[in-house]
Amino acid sequence: MPERPRKPGWRRTPPAPQPQPPRPSAPPPAGPAEAAGIVRAVLYRDGVRVLAPATLSETYRALREQPSGMAWIGLARPTEGELHSLAAEFDLHPLSVEDAKEAHQRPKLERYGDTLFVVLRAARYLDTPEEIDFGELHVFVGPDFVITVRHAAAPDLSAVRRRMEETPELLKLGPEAVLYAILDAVVDGYAPVVSGVQNDIDEIETEVFRGDPAVSRRIYELSREMVEFQRATRPLVGMLHGLMAGFSKYGTDDELQRYLRDVADHVTHTSERVDGFRQALTDILTVNATLVTQQQNAEMRALAEAGFEQNEEIKKISSWAAILFAPTLVGTIYGMNFTHMPELHWLFGYPFAIVLMAVVCTSLYVIFKRRDWL
């Protein structure tokens, strides 16, 4: 991004040099607008650190006294007073300030005059719970300042700052070089997440074919995370293409153009991997549902077969019970020993009872046999 003169309201003509009193050993206490939300404010000139003010007011004053300097102000969960102070000093658009204050924004890139407002979603993979932790980062990029507003632990911007300070030839390219470094750090942070998700999917595939009953919940939770991952990576492709489209208009350095194209390639690759993960999880969920259905059908078939075998046994038991019941009934009747029972005094009474029992049992056996109950 080419250096542009700041608006009159941003910078005043510095006064004539005067003898400066010795700087106190400790910085003055910060006001309400300069609370613990300030992580670090550093002033750079020609890619080299010049000063690290302790408060926002000192940063403003130092930047006014360094016409060719660049301020990099980092904040973490800033207060409303800090944001309003920055907006007043750097003429930040109210809509971008409101977005930075509210957070929970989708990744986007907006240009307000000479200031770029970028929203990024960083991600990191947590090994122990095997889940993805998403963070939100807001970046204001002006002609001579970069303001970063973090709402989570990721990304680690201190590493980005160290990298830029170790490469002053890149840092002296200005605020857009800092934006590149931040984009590169966020995109590089996606690589461990992609590897972690790939391992999770491999484990899930094993659990699916092993018949783990808890795998469905794990598939669902990982699918939800992939939706969030898509929301973090997919808009970056369009954002970087938008930056590349403005290379000629804003006179972006050739070396920086190559760096940004490299970041765009990594983002495209990551976005494609995430899309593939989501499709793979959809396919795995379908396969899991099919396997669960097949297992349920097998269990139902086994239950039906067991019920059929049980019914066959019941038929046999019932048939023999009926056959044995006939002679029992005849014997019970003639065993009552009533006085007036003609058959008791009949010569053929006993043979008749035996024949009757045999006929009834044989008839029942033939009937049950024909019906395949025996």
Side-chain angles (χ1 to χ4, degrees):
M1 181 181 293
E3 184 175 326
R4 301 178 180 83
R6 299 184 71 182
K7 296 183 180 179
W10 287 3
R11 175 173 294 163
R12 296 185 292 273
T13 303
Q18 297 179 357
Q20 298 292 330
R23 181 178 295 274
S25 57
E34 298 164 358
I38 305 174
V39 176
R40 178 171 294 183
V42 180
L43 189 67
Y44 299 94
R45 186 174 184 180
D46 294 329
V48 178
R49 178 189 293 208
V50 176
L51 187 64
T55 64
L56 288 179
S57 58
E58 288 185 14
T59 304
Y60 304 155
R61 183 169 58 253
L63 188 58
R64 294 190 188 102
E65 295 171 356
Q66 296 283 341
S68 60
M70 178 190 72
W72 184 351
I73 303 172
L75 301 97
R77 298 183 180 90
T79 64
E80 187 173 347
E82 288 169 340
L83 289 176
H84 287 167
S85 174
L86 291 166
E89 177 67 20
F90 296 109
D91 195 21
L92 304 180
H93 197 279
L95 290 178
S96 62
V97 175
E98 188 69 21
D99 288 344
K101 180 172 60 177
E102 295 295 332
H104 304 293
Q105 303 294 320
R106 296 286 295 273
K108 63 179 181 178
L109 184 148
E110 300 285 349
R111 185 178 293 275
Y112 299 99
D114 291 337
T115 303
L116 278 176
F117 175 63
V118 182
V119 179
L120 302 173
R121 294 291 303 278
R124 58 177 181 168
Y125 186 80
L126 305 178
D127 291 322
T128 302
E130 293 187 337
E131 62 183 24
I132 305 173
D133 178 46
F134 293 96
E136 191 167 336
L137 176 66
H138 299 240
V139 186
F140 297 89
V141 182
D144 54 0
F145 67 88
V146 176
I147 302 170
T148 58
V149 180
R150 286 191 296 113
H151 292 276
D156 182 11
L157 295 182
S158 62
V160 178
R161 191 185 294 271
R162 286 193 301 271
R163 173 196 173 189
M164 294 299 289
E165 291 179 351
E166 291 171 359
T167 54
E169 65 278 3
L170 180 61
L171 184 57
K172 70 180 181 181
L173 295 178
E176 195 167 20
V178 177
L179 175 61
Y180 149 74
I182 294 173
L183 287 168
D184 189 48
V186 171
V187 174
D188 286 347
Y190 293 152
V193 179
V194 170
S195 299
V197 172
Q198 182 64 67
N199 291 335
D200 288 346
I201 291 178
D202 293 341
E203 292 176 0
I204 286 174
E205 288 177 341
T206 303
E207 293 173 359
V208 164
F209 290 101
R210 195 171 56 197
D212 191 335
V215 70
S216 297
R217 182 181 181 87
R218 189 177 181 187
I219 295 172
Y220 173 76
E221 291 175 348
L222 190 56
S223 298
R224 291 284 302 272
E225 290 180 341
M226 287 303 96
V227 172
E228 290 296 320
F229 206 4
Q230 276 187 324
R231 292 173 180 172
T233 57
R234 186 174 291 177
L236 280 179
V237 178
M239 289 166 56
L240 286 166
H241 282 291
L243 281 175
M244 291 188 293
F247 283 164
S248 300
K249 180 178 180 181
Y250 296 102
T252 304
D253 182 83
D254 292 341
E255 187 69 12
L256 193 56
Q257 291 184 28
R258 286 189 282 270
Y259 285 141
L260 287 170
R261 289 193 185 97
D262 182 66
V263 175
D265 291 340
H266 290 173
V267 168
T268 302
H269 177 70
T270 301
S271 180
E272 291 173 351
R273 290 291 303 275
V274 174
D275 293 342
F277 287 156
R278 189 173 182 188
Q279 182 60 46
L281 287 170
T282 301
D283 296 340
I284 292 173
L285 189 61
T286 302
V287 171
N288 182 62
T290 303
L291 293 176
V292 169
T293 301
Q294 290 177 349
Q295 182 179 359
Q296 291 176 343
N297 291 339
E299 292 175 354
M300 293 296 295
R301 189 181 304 110
L303 288 174
E305 292 175 355
F308 177 78
E309 293 176 358
Q310 186 177 12
N311 289 337
E312 292 299 314
E313 295 297 327
I314 292 175
K315 287 180 182 179
K316 293 179 180 179
I317 294 173
S318 301
S319 300
W320 286 114
I323 293 171
L324 296 176
F325 175 74
T328 303
L329 177 62
V330 174
T332 302
I333 293 174
Y334 287 101
M336 291 186 290
N337 296 322
F338 288 114
T339 303
H340 300 288
M341 291 185 69
E343 294 84 356
L344 295 177
H345 305 285
W346 185 29
L347 179 62
F348 300 102
Y350 176 74
F352 175 77
I354 296 298
V355 172
L356 179 61
M357 288 188 285
V359 170
V360 172
C361 290
T362 303
S363 300
L364 290 175
Y365 179 83
V366 171
I367 293 172
F368 290 142
K369 193 67 175 177
R370 287 181 177 178
R371 295 186 178 181
D372 294 328
W373 281 35
L374 291 174

